[in-house]
Amino acid sequence: GAGVSQSPRYKVAKRGQDVALRCDPISGHVSLFWYQQALGQGPEFLTYFQNEAQLDKSGLPSDRFFAERPEGSVSTLKIQRTQQEDSAVYLCASSPRGGRGYEQYFGPGTRLTVT
Amino acid sequence: AQKVTQAQTEISVVEKEDVTLDCVYETRDTTYYLFWYKQPPSGELVFLIRRNSFDEQNEISGRYSWNFQKSTSSFNFTITASQVVDSAVYFCALMAGKLIFGQGTELSVKP
């Protein structure tokens, strides 16, 4: 079946612009996660949804970052007033069950470059 | 502190060699999960294995094997008879509240 998809795959934004990154999880997956991966580093947790409920947003680096999953499927990560330090690959992952102890299936990521 | 350490930043081997990727973790939790993921040059993280803290049995899947030792807080990954297609960055991760990744080990398998 189809895996996790993300769009766009690449995004270039001028400093100060707002961006929206989309994630389509595997159909029926309950849990959805966002991660930020800087070059040469492991992914870092941003936020976690179980269905439409955002249960953990402790990893969001500032109030410029906002995520939603209004109908419990597609999710959008929005970054307002982008800064150069926001340049990274943003990964989305989904998991078939609620809770965080299960394997996560990752999308290809969106590479964001802020100029 | 919850932490994952992959001390080997880069490893280079010749095809058919065996290679072990080390992973050491720290957690105060008594229940936790450990994972290995592969990130090939295409960038998409591929799930390899999940292990819970109560299951210390080693696991073998084809050329891949994992050795989990709670006494040393280690969860090492061995590839037997490596192949060029194994070239990738490999991440060990700890789930204790949230998924915490190590820095990754870049494995290069040369023909």
Side-chain angles (χ1 to χ4, degrees), chain B residues 6-7 38 42 48 70 73 75:
Chain B
Q6 295 179 254
K38 174 182 180 180
S42 60
L48 295 178
K70 265 175 108 163
S73 297
F75 186 42

mmCIF file with all atom_site columns, all heavy atoms in Angstrom, chain B residues 6-7 38 42 48 70 73 75:
data_model
loop_
_atom_site.group_PDB
_atom_site.id
_atom_site.type_symbol
_atom_site.label_atom_id
_atom_site.label_alt_id
_atom_site.label_comp_id
_atom_site.label_asym_id
_atom_site.label_entity_id
_atom_site.label_seq_id
_atom_site.pdbx_PDB_ins_code
_atom_site.Cartn_x
_atom_site.Cartn_y
_atom_site.Cartn_z
_atom_site.occupancy
_atom_site.B_iso_or_equiv
_atom_site.pdbx_formal_charge
_atom_site.auth_seq_id
_atom_site.auth_comp_id
_atom_site.auth_asym_id
_atom_site.auth_atom_id
_atom_site.pdbx_PDB_model_num
ATOM 1  N N   . GLN B 1 6  ? 25.716 6.958  19.617 1.00 0.00 ? 6  GLN B N   1
ATOM 2  C CA  . GLN B 1 6  ? 26.307 6.120  18.577 1.00 0.00 ? 6  GLN B CA  1
ATOM 3  C C   . GLN B 1 6  ? 27.708 6.678  18.357 1.00 0.00 ? 6  GLN B C   1
ATOM 4  O O   . GLN B 1 6  ? 27.889 7.671  17.672 1.00 0.00 ? 6  GLN B O   1
ATOM 5  C CB  . GLN B 1 6  ? 25.477 6.168  17.298 1.00 0.00 ? 6  GLN B CB  1
ATOM 6  C CG  . GLN B 1 6  ? 24.085 5.567  17.464 1.00 0.00 ? 6  GLN B CG  1
ATOM 7  C CD  . GLN B 1 6  ? 23.292 5.645  16.184 1.00 0.00 ? 6  GLN B CD  1
ATOM 8  O OE1 . GLN B 1 6  ? 22.384 6.462  16.054 1.00 0.00 ? 6  GLN B OE1 1
ATOM 9  N NE2 . GLN B 1 6  ? 23.612 4.770  15.238 1.00 0.00 ? 6  GLN B NE2 1
ATOM 10 N N   . ALA B 1 7  ? 28.666 6.048  18.962 1.00 0.00 ? 7  ALA B N   1
ATOM 11 C CA  . ALA B 1 7  ? 30.016 6.611  19.002 1.00 0.00 ? 7  ALA B CA  1
ATOM 12 C C   . ALA B 1 7  ? 30.704 6.580  17.643 1.00 0.00 ? 7  ALA B C   1
ATOM 13 O O   . ALA B 1 7  ? 31.581 7.395  17.368 1.00 0.00 ? 7  ALA B O   1
ATOM 14 C CB  . ALA B 1 7  ? 30.857 5.869  20.031 1.00 0.00 ? 7  ALA B CB  1
ATOM 15 N N   . LYS B 1 38 ? 17.176 2.712  9.157  1.00 0.00 ? 38 LYS B N   1
ATOM 16 C CA  . LYS B 1 38 ? 18.165 2.908  8.081  1.00 0.00 ? 38 LYS B CA  1
ATOM 17 C C   . LYS B 1 38 ? 17.747 4.113  7.256  1.00 0.00 ? 38 LYS B C   1
ATOM 18 O O   . LYS B 1 38 ? 16.567 4.254  6.911  1.00 0.00 ? 38 LYS B O   1
ATOM 19 C CB  . LYS B 1 38 ? 18.196 1.667  7.196  1.00 0.00 ? 38 LYS B CB  1
ATOM 20 C CG  . LYS B 1 38 ? 19.061 1.760  5.953  1.00 0.00 ? 38 LYS B CG  1
ATOM 21 C CD  . LYS B 1 38 ? 18.966 0.467  5.129  1.00 0.00 ? 38 LYS B CD  1
ATOM 22 C CE  . LYS B 1 38 ? 19.829 0.541  3.881  1.00 0.00 ? 38 LYS B CE  1
ATOM 23 N NZ  . LYS B 1 38 ? 19.741 -0.721 3.090  1.00 0.00 ? 38 LYS B NZ  1
ATOM 24 N N   . SER B 1 42 ? 18.515 8.281  -0.399 1.00 0.00 ? 42 SER B N   1
ATOM 25 C CA  . SER B 1 42 ? 17.230 8.882  -0.802 1.00 0.00 ? 42 SER B CA  1
ATOM 26 C C   . SER B 1 42 ? 16.593 9.669  0.340  1.00 0.00 ? 42 SER B C   1
ATOM 27 O O   . SER B 1 42 ? 15.723 10.510 0.110  1.00 0.00 ? 42 SER B O   1
ATOM 28 C CB  . SER B 1 42 ? 16.254 7.797  -1.261 1.00 0.00 ? 42 SER B CB  1
ATOM 29 O OG  . SER B 1 42 ? 16.004 6.878  -0.206 1.00 0.00 ? 42 SER B OG  1
ATOM 30 N N   . LEU B 1 48 ? 13.721 -0.886 10.876 1.00 0.00 ? 48 LEU B N   1
ATOM 31 C CA  . LEU B 1 48 ? 14.380 -2.192 10.840 1.00 0.00 ? 48 LEU B CA  1
ATOM 32 C C   . LEU B 1 48 ? 13.906 -3.100 11.966 1.00 0.00 ? 48 LEU B C   1
ATOM 33 O O   . LEU B 1 48 ? 13.589 -4.270 11.740 1.00 0.00 ? 48 LEU B O   1
ATOM 34 C CB  . LEU B 1 48 ? 15.901 -2.025 10.933 1.00 0.00 ? 48 LEU B CB  1
ATOM 35 C CG  . LEU B 1 48 ? 16.577 -1.302 9.772  1.00 0.00 ? 48 LEU B CG  1
ATOM 36 C CD1 . LEU B 1 48 ? 18.070 -1.173 10.038 1.00 0.00 ? 48 LEU B CD1 1
ATOM 37 C CD2 . LEU B 1 48 ? 16.326 -2.014 8.452  1.00 0.00 ? 48 LEU B CD2 1
ATOM 38 N N   . LYS B 1 70 ? 20.773 -5.304 28.515 1.00 0.00 ? 70 LYS B N   1
ATOM 39 C CA  . LYS B 1 70 ? 20.353 -4.295 29.491 1.00 0.00 ? 70 LYS B CA  1
ATOM 40 C C   . LYS B 1 70 ? 21.462 -3.970 30.470 1.00 0.00 ? 70 LYS B C   1
ATOM 41 O O   . LYS B 1 70 ? 21.584 -2.847 30.939 1.00 0.00 ? 70 LYS B O   1
ATOM 42 C CB  . LYS B 1 70 ? 19.133 -4.797 30.269 1.00 0.00 ? 70 LYS B CB  1
ATOM 43 C CG  . LYS B 1 70 ? 17.816 -4.331 29.700 1.00 0.00 ? 70 LYS B CG  1
ATOM 44 C CD  . LYS B 1 70 ? 16.692 -4.950 30.446 1.00 0.00 ? 70 LYS B CD  1
ATOM 45 C CE  . LYS B 1 70 ? 15.991 -3.944 31.310 1.00 0.00 ? 70 LYS B CE  1
ATOM 46 N NZ  . LYS B 1 70 ? 14.674 -4.422 31.738 1.00 0.00 ? 70 LYS B NZ  1
ATOM 47 N N   . SER B 1 73 ? 23.362 -1.444 28.865 1.00 0.00 ? 73 SER B N   1
ATOM 48 C CA  . SER B 1 73 ? 22.541 -0.441 28.155 1.00 0.00 ? 73 SER B CA  1
ATOM 49 C C   . SER B 1 73 ? 22.972 -0.324 26.695 1.00 0.00 ? 73 SER B C   1
ATOM 50 O O   . SER B 1 73 ? 23.196 0.776  26.177 1.00 0.00 ? 73 SER B O   1
ATOM 51 C CB  . SER B 1 73 ? 22.634 0.926  28.844 1.00 0.00 ? 73 SER B CB  1
ATOM 52 O OG  . SER B 1 73 ? 22.126 0.868  30.141 1.00 0.00 ? 73 SER B OG  1
ATOM 53 N N   . PHE B 1 75 ? 22.489 -1.779 22.547 1.00 0.00 ? 75 PHE B N   1
ATOM 54 C CA  . PHE B 1 75 ? 21.603 -2.428 21.561 1.00 0.00 ? 75 PHE B CA  1
ATOM 55 C C   . PHE B 1 75 ? 22.340 -2.362 20.226 1.00 0.00 ? 75 PHE B C   1
ATOM 56 O O   . PHE B 1 75 ? 22.079 -1.509 19.388 1.00 0.00 ? 75 PHE B O   1
ATOM 57 C CB  . PHE B 1 75 ? 20.261 -1.701 21.513 1.00 0.00 ? 75 PHE B CB  1
ATOM 58 C CG  . PHE B 1 75 ? 19.219 -2.356 20.651 1.00 0.00 ? 75 PHE B CG  1
ATOM 59 C CD1 . PHE B 1 75 ? 19.025 -3.727 20.653 1.00 0.00 ? 75 PHE B CD1 1
ATOM 60 C CD2 . PHE B 1 75 ? 18.393 -1.582 19.830 1.00 0.00 ? 75 PHE B CD2 1
ATOM 61 C CE1 . PHE B 1 75 ? 18.051 -4.332 19.873 1.00 0.00 ? 75 PHE B CE1 1
ATOM 62 C CE2 . PHE B 1 75 ? 17.409 -2.175 19.045 1.00 0.00 ? 75 PHE B CE2 1
ATOM 63 C CZ  . PHE B 1 75 ? 17.239 -3.547 19.067 1.00 0.00 ? 75 PHE B CZ  1
#
